Amino acid sequence: MFYPTARLHRSSITLFPPFFSTTTAATSVEEPRFLDPVVRTYLSLLQKFSRAPNSIRGVHSQIVTNGLSTSIFLATKLVKLYSECGRLRDAHQVFVSMRQRNLPLWNSILGGYHRNGLHAECLELYNQMRSEGFGVDSSICTLTLKSCENLLDWQNGKKVMEDAFDNGLEGDPFFGSASIGFLVKFGEIIAARRLFDNIAERDVVCWNAMIGGHARNGDVKKAVELFLEMQMDRIRPSPVTMASLIQASAIGGNLQLGRLAHGYACVCGMSPDVLVQTCLIDMYGKLKDVECARQVFDRMINRNLVSWNAMISACVQNGIVADAFLLARRLDLGVDSATLVGLLQGCAEIASLNHGKSLHCCAMRRRLEHDLVVSTAIVDMYSKCGSMSNARNVFDRMPEKNVISWTAMVAGYSQNGQADEALKVFNGMQVAGIKPNSVTLVSLLHACAHIGSLRKGKTVQAYLVRHGLEFEVVSSTALIDMYTKCGKLASARRLFDSCRFARDVILWNAMIGGYGMHGCGCDATVIYDQMLKDGIEPNETTFISLLTACSHAGMVEKGRLYFDSMERNHGIKPTEKHYACLVDLLGRAGHVEEAEEVIKGMPFEPGTAVLEAMLSACRTYKKSELGVQIADKLLQLDPTNPGIYVLLSNIYAGAGRWGEVDEMRAVMRSRGLSKTPGYSLIEVGGSVHAFLAGDTSHPCSAQIYQMLDTLLMQIEALGYAPDTSSVLHNVSEEMKIDMLFGHSERLAIAFGLINTPAGSVIRITKNLRVCGDCHTWTKYISVVIKRDIITSMELVSRSRHLSRLLMQCAEKKNVLEGRIIHAHIVKNDFQSDIFLRNSVVNMYAKCGRLEEAKIEFNGIKERDVVSWNCLINGFCQHGRGFEVLGFFDSMRREGLHPNPFTFAGVITSAANTSAACEGRQVHCLVLKSGNWLDVFVTTSLVSFYCKCASVSDARKVFDEMLERNSVSWAAMISGYAAQRCACEALELFSMMREEGAELNEFVFTSVLSAFAEPEYMEDGRLVHTIAIKTGLESHVSVGNALVTMYSKCGNLDDAIRVFGGSNDRNAITWSAMITGFAQGGSNSEALKLFSKMHFSGIKPSEFTLVGVLNACSNMAALEHGKQIHDCMLKLGFASQVYVRSALIDMYAKCGSVNDARKEFDQLKEPDIVLWTSMISGYVQNAEGEEALNLYGRMEAENIRPNELTLSSVIKACSLLAALEQGKQMHARTMKYGLGLQVPIGSALSSMYAKCGDLEEGILMFRRIAERDVVSWNAMISGLSQNGRGKEALQLFEEMHLEGTKPDDITFVNLLSTCSHIGMVDKGWHYFKSMHKDHGIVPRVEHYACMVDILSRAGQLEEAKSFIESVPVEHGMALWRILLGASRSHGNLIIGAYAGERLMELASQESSAYVLLSNIYASAGRWEDVERVRSVMRCRGVNKEPGCSWIEIKNQVHVFVVRDQLHPQIKEVYAVVRSLSKQMRDEGYRPNTNMLLYGFEHQMEDD
């Protein structure tokens, strides 16, 4: 076993003398002699089967059968055995069945409930026992009291103790031990000791309880005294005793005592005990001796989970977090809440957000997320990693919160500089009735001090006063720090004086430092002298504050005296910081030579802090030669610190050596270094405003500079003259004055004057020293405005805190604040901190400033894998995947081994850039490097293969994963959804539930996207039900997915219900519903919802605009579309290809193809999507010639068409009946390797059919491998248009047999076919089967076809009645069909009726008026003819001239009525006359009934 011989002292033997062995009589309960032999036999049997529940039940059955169930002895035994086996229900049934009960029976049932953790039930049974008149004994009282202790029930516990004392049990050692433990638990240590002293025969348990109580209450001395007294009483210590003593050592911070206890345990043979060893690990870890802790752990033979947790915590507490994670990976006992808490603390220590997220996922998988301690640790981890949004999410989901949870949240916001949010959480804490502790309030005060927010700090102080906490040392120190940093020295001093009886060295240091910060050296020294008088011993920090105060106040002699007194009077050896303060003191006072001698006489080599103080003095007093020497030494120590270059440059500039200045600045540029920008902060109206030198980004910049002009005029009148000596640039004097004019503190002061009431104090917080001219300027301003202006210098934050702030900036994409913090880092010599440098790279990368991130990255000399990860992940997140792959190659060439986070970023980039080959190579590297076990890497691989459409490979990776988290499941389900594999997605979702994996919003969003088809709607409903059960329906992303799913399935009612029930709608929710309305045909509802969204103050996204533009397209609402266009321009979405494409489509579908073309022509480099949209727009407006011309221009610009482009061009050929050009497009599809897949095959078959080459069209159709409904519709339409209606109907039957589901277009084609071949009954059959058999609701087009069928068949009355019964709004379409048919059939009455209805509807189409006019003309009703034409003129309706076109030699020729413009028109008319003469000679006579004008016959012939 392990004996720490190197550290074990002989005094351990004298401190812990050997114990003497004592014998204790074993006690047993003697069975009564008069027991029945049968009962005795059953008791023996029960004892024999005590660990076999089924056997016990068998014996129990025999006891009942033999009529012995009333035996109190057997019942007591049964209750005891059943409860020991966990069969409490059986035990309770036996107990209840006993009419006569005694104390042993009660003892058995109470013990059963207590052992099984049912403490409340145990207490309830005790009260029942007392109410039935039973007394108590030691065992019953002990069990019940321990239950009260576990329940933290002080009142009932006191009652149990009173019952015991009333029954004379106060001296019972067994009950006494329990009572002591109970009292100690509630902090009643004095009462516990009184009880302990009254116990005559104290056993080891009593001693352990009392020693442990003193140890837990921090009274180590008492614990040790009791231990020694215990041995004097010759009581042998147990392992529990040693554990308590070791814990006391840890609590008291006494390492020597801990080692003595360790040695004593070894001597007594207790070192192999697991409890003792675990306590030793814990003690050594807490006392910073992790080496001993590890030795104890490594030599343990039997380790339990507590031992592992103790070792992990020891590693974390001592900063070796990597070892903690290595231990966790070796842990094969599983993890519990303590393990997770320890590891989470480690992640917080090193700000490892990714590891922390992994642990969060682990907690969720093990259902520990809602454990109070674990969830609080997660909140703390996210806070310290700077991810406050994640911290807040976890905090908000916690089912219960205590003061530690609330404090973690408050401290998180405070540490990340979000004082407003910290105060909001604090207010919420008060509303929840949670009383804050000192840590809560100190965290708030630090946040207020950090941003110089006096107003918020006073709010916290008001709370402290109300609750009597103002005079506690910790809160008082924080208040003094806050007041001094906010420039309120008088308030800080008043508070300090009020703490007269509770001052420790930290409080004195805070006050001395406050005075020193503001240059009040005399006041600082007075405080120091008073501190010594009060008997407070100073520490290292005291002298740093004191020397700084002397330096700022120019108190050289005092400073020297204090420095000399450190070691002489107080035994404190000066550190580098103290020497730096002394050099700064001498340098500021002009004693440069003496400062140089101090540096030479230092007992160790000077560091950067000392040399920088010396360099600053050289610059101030123009010691250029010495400054160059110091700068050379500094650059050797820290060549990447830009502050050194700046100081040296200033030295050269002060000496007029501008050549060296330029050279120095060139060196800085070549090394990627930049000067730290100064900034100033001011709090106005509860908000903190930041200003940089020359800043013009503030909303009030114009007013600020105007105020500065006004102030300059006023102070110049008082004699102010700018001092340009601090402007060290080789520029004109006027330029130097302009540069002084824009210093950040001046901007902040001007802003304060504009926005604060007259007479109030203006407080400015600055990161750099104020220049000499700004000091003078501020004094003049203070005189002019008659207000106090206080400028304080913000203190440098610790490396980790700065890193958290940078992470916060990255999270909020706030690059301005990030640059300010970066400047802070450069100024305060953190450039050598690789952790901080990586944080800067990460901040710039995540804010999208990729080039700046790259510059900072290149400036890191010794890059580690984290440096590369920051750069890789930043570029990956901003879509620059090809560069990520290049970085990965460079990283490997530098010899660095990628970690899982590297692989995850690279694989994601390969997926985003469709770099399938590179992604597979990275997969091979993952396997070689052993990272295939990491869940992040394998999840990235699953996502990569899914995005590359290789779902089978993705599934292989997924199936081989040893560990899956919710992201892994969601990635695989999303992959299936993207490939329209809904069945596989549902199967995987079911498998996930069977395995007990935790369902979250990402999983539901993924699986719901797979069911966005009508045939899978019921599966979607099932998932919706599960979402409701798990409580995730209310999550905004799940709600959005549900709205989208129901909308795409055509179920708008359920979509509206989900949308209406959502309390947390974002732009995506509104977009999903608007798009759903547009896709479902409820276009006016989509427009109304968009209007409501606008008035709700929700900013629409590009997807919202696309949805509402589609609605405008569907209803041809051009004016609404133009309004949306204006909105799009205001919101800055004009450059979005997706939106621009929808806009062009809207204009085209609204018939405003010229506007569509105008939008298209404004684009400099339209992509293929926009080309396709414009060509499709021309096709939709029957302008096939323009579509072909645009396609020709597209090919001339070498833009490769896709299948959608070519299908639109082929449709244009169909419109023009341009067979030859259609064939050329067919050839192009083969050239581009597009084949006959959808939509090319459908377009080609339709084109050939419409151009008269029906056989070729049928051949194309038959060659399509996977025909969809569009292909079938195209062929059915082609057959119908070519007079082969019966074949069209047969093709529909074939389509039905193949299992292709028809759509609404299919039925339009079928009804049109029936119309052309006169099959009225068949038409009625198809019309009725639409809704009945296929669930398709008839639209206007279907009603129009039915009217056409009836009209062509001469059933005009039936057609008229049908129109008047149509349930949908049809406008004028149906009446126009009836009007045309009435003219054809000569039914003047119905024709006139239909025509008048059209005129009532104010039709703008000339055909309706012309048809009605023709009907009246054919009846000779010329007055009505004139009336119709008069209405046309009044309404501005013009008759559209008829035209015909013909394609000859790949050129389309167009002719209108009486055309005179065609170049060959004379030859055309000559041919027409020649043909007409020949036709007349053969007997042809023109039918002039179609010319409904009162002309002579000769003119009619013409």
Side-chain angles (χ1 to χ4, degrees), residues 440-696:
T440 319
L441 300 168
V442 168
S443 298
L444 279 173
L445 288 169
H446 284 324
C448 300
H450 177 72
I451 62 172
S453 179
L454 180 62
R455 183 177 176 181
K456 294 180 175 65
K458 284 185 173 181
T459 304
V460 181
Q461 186 184 15
Y463 180 89
L464 288 165
V465 172
R466 284 198 307 272
H467 293 81
L469 301 172
E470 187 181 18
F471 300 109
E472 289 187 3
V473 175
V474 176
S475 55
S476 296
T477 305
L479 278 168
I480 289 170
D481 179 66
M482 183 272 295
Y483 275 124
T484 55
K485 286 181 180 175
C486 292
K488 293 281 285 182
L489 272 176
S491 298
R493 181 57 189 267
R494 277 195 300 273
L495 182 60
F496 176 79
D497 290 339
S498 67
C499 300
R500 186 168 300 172
F501 301 107
R503 295 176 186 162
D504 62 1
V505 68
I506 300 172
L507 193 70
W508 289 94
N509 290 348
M511 197 65 246
I512 293 169
Y515 277 127
M517 184 192 304
H518 292 278
C520 304
C522 292
D523 293 311
T525 58
V526 169
I527 291 289
Y528 174 70
D529 292 339
Q530 186 62 46
M531 171 183 170
L532 295 180
K533 283 182 183 178
D534 286 1
I536 304 297
E537 190 65 25
N539 60 15
E540 290 182 0
T541 307
T542 311
F543 284 102
I544 290 173
S545 301
L546 200 56
L547 290 169
T548 302
C550 293
S551 176
H552 290 173
M555 300 166 62
V556 179
E557 289 304 320
K558 277 275 188 183
R560 287 196 190 105
L561 289 172
Y562 290 133
F563 185 84
D564 293 338
S565 71
M566 283 179 62
E567 190 168 7
R568 184 181 66 242
N569 299 338
H570 304 285
I572 299 172
K573 287 189 177 182
T575 64
E576 184 181 354
K577 288 185 179 179
H578 297 103
Y579 277 102
C581 290
L582 180 60
V583 170
D584 184 62
L585 167 71
L586 296 170
R588 280 176 183 252
H591 303 297
V592 181
E593 290 77 10
E594 186 180 350
E596 187 179 6
E597 291 302 318
V598 168
I599 293 174
K600 290 178 181 178
M602 285 175 62
F604 45 82
E605 284 297 316
T608 55
V610 174
L611 294 175
E612 279 192 31
M614 188 65 197
L615 185 61
S616 180
C618 293
R619 180 237 166 183
T620 303
Y621 292 98
K622 297 182 171 52
K623 302 285 185 179
S624 56
E625 296 304 323
L626 179 59
V628 171
Q629 295 174 21
I630 298 294
D632 287 340
K633 291 180 181 179
L634 270 170
L635 290 174
Q636 290 174 10
L637 292 172
D638 188 5
T640 60
N641 184 354
I644 301 167
Y645 296 91
V646 171
L647 279 171
L648 185 55
S649 173
N650 290 345
I651 290 171
Y652 286 137
R657 295 161 62 176
W658 297 109
E660 283 90 340
V661 172
D662 293 337
E663 183 182 342
M664 193 57 56
R665 289 174 181 167
V667 171
M668 288 182 69
R669 284 193 296 272
S670 68
R671 296 183 180 179
L673 303 174
S674 58
K675 181 185 175 184
T676 305
Y679 67 85
S680 298
L681 304 174
I682 182 171
E683 182 188 19
V684 174
S687 298
V688 177
H689 300 258
F691 295 91
L692 295 169
D695 202 341
T696 57

Side-chain angles (χ1 to χ4, degrees), residues 1296-1313:
H1296 184 66
L1297 290 172
E1298 278 201 11
T1300 303
K1301 190 175 181 180
D1303 61 6
D1304 54 343
I1305 304 298
T1306 313
F1307 284 98
V1308 169
N1309 291 332
L1310 290 173
L1311 293 171
S1312 178
T1313 302

Side-chain angles (χ1 to χ4, degrees), residues 27 46 131 467 680 686 1000 1061 1168 1403 1441:
T27 59
L46 287 170
S131 67
H467 293 81
S680 298
N1000 60 17
I1168 187 61
S1403 172

Side-chain angles (χ1 to χ4, degrees), residues 710-963:
T710 304
L711 292 171
L712 183 61
M713 291 173 61
Q714 293 176 358
I715 63 175
E716 281 180 341
L718 293 177
Y720 164 74
D723 175 15
T724 59
S725 62
S726 58
V727 182
L728 301 173
H729 293 273
N730 190 18
V731 295
S732 65
E733 196 68 16
E734 291 78 8
M735 184 67 73
K736 289 181 179 180
I737 293 171
D738 287 342
M739 294 173 78
L740 285 172
F741 184 76
H743 278 193
S744 64
E745 55 266 50
R746 303 189 188 201
L747 301 178
I749 290 170
F751 178 74
L753 290 172
I754 293 167
N755 293 283
T756 57
S760 61
V761 178
I762 295 176
R763 292 181 176 83
I764 307 297
T765 302
K766 201 173 184 321
N767 69 321
L768 302 177
R769 291 175 181 172
V770 179
C771 73
D773 184 67
C774 284
H775 267 300
T776 307
W777 182 90
T778 306
K779 289 175 185 176
Y780 274 102
I781 294 296
S782 183
V783 171
V784 169
I785 64 173
K786 297 178 181 178
R787 293 167 72 174
D788 289 334
I789 300 174
I790 299 173
T791 303
S792 61
M793 188 173 171
E794 190 183 41
L795 296 182
V796 179
S797 301
R798 292 180 307 158
S799 163
R800 221 159 260 150
H801 178 61
L802 289 171
S803 176
R804 292 186 197 114
L805 290 177
L806 285 167
M807 293 179 81
Q808 180 188 337
C809 294
E811 193 174 296
K812 292 184 175 181
K813 304 291 186 289
N814 191 338
V815 74
L816 178 61
E817 286 189 16
R819 282 184 178 139
I820 291 172
I821 296 165
H822 184 192
H824 219 73
I825 291 167
V826 174
K827 168 67 181 174
N828 293 289
D829 193 26
F830 283 115
Q831 288 290 83
S832 59
D833 189 334
I834 187 70
F835 180 69
L836 265 183
R837 297 292 295 273
N838 291 342
S839 298
V840 172
V841 173
N842 179 63
M843 181 274 294
Y844 282 127
K846 287 190 175 173
C847 289
R849 306 295 176 132
L850 300 180
E851 296 309 315
E852 292 176 66
K854 205 170 176 182
I855 290 169
E856 180 66 17
F857 173 81
N858 290 333
I860 303 174
K861 284 194 170 182
E862 295 182 4
R863 296 187 282 258
D864 59 9
V865 69
V866 180
S867 313
W868 284 99
N869 288 350
C870 292
L871 194 68
I872 285 171
N873 288 314
F875 274 75
C876 174
Q877 288 167 7
H878 288 85
R880 292 175 58 174
F882 289 113
E883 288 169 86
V884 169
L885 297 174
F887 293 147
F888 184 64
D889 289 338
S890 301
M891 176 184 176
R892 294 183 64 218
R893 281 197 296 272
E894 285 192 8
L896 284 171
H897 298 289
N899 65 12
F901 301 104
T902 321
F903 281 120
V906 175
I907 293 165
T908 302
S909 296
N912 294 338
T913 54
S914 300
C917 181
E918 289 82 352
R920 290 181 185 276
Q921 290 174 6
V922 176
H923 189 178
C924 294
L925 283 173
V926 168
L927 295 173
K928 288 180 181 177
S929 62
N931 283 288
W932 60 275
L933 294 172
D934 187 89
V935 67
F936 292 107
V937 177
T938 46
T939 301
S940 300
L941 283 168
V942 169
S943 180
F944 160 72
Y945 283 118
C946 288
K947 286 182 180 179
C948 292
S950 183
V951 184
S952 58
D953 288 334
R955 186 57 187 265
K956 285 177 186 175
V957 175
F958 181 81
D959 289 339
E960 290 173 0
M961 289 175 71
L962 298 179
E963 179 187 1

Side-chain angles (χ1 to χ4, degrees), residues 1059-1075:
F1059 178 81
S1062 175
N1063 296 322
D1064 186 19
R1065 299 177 193 149
N1066 59 13
I1068 300 172
T1069 319
W1070 291 88
S1071 301
M1073 195 65 248
I1074 288 168
T1075 304

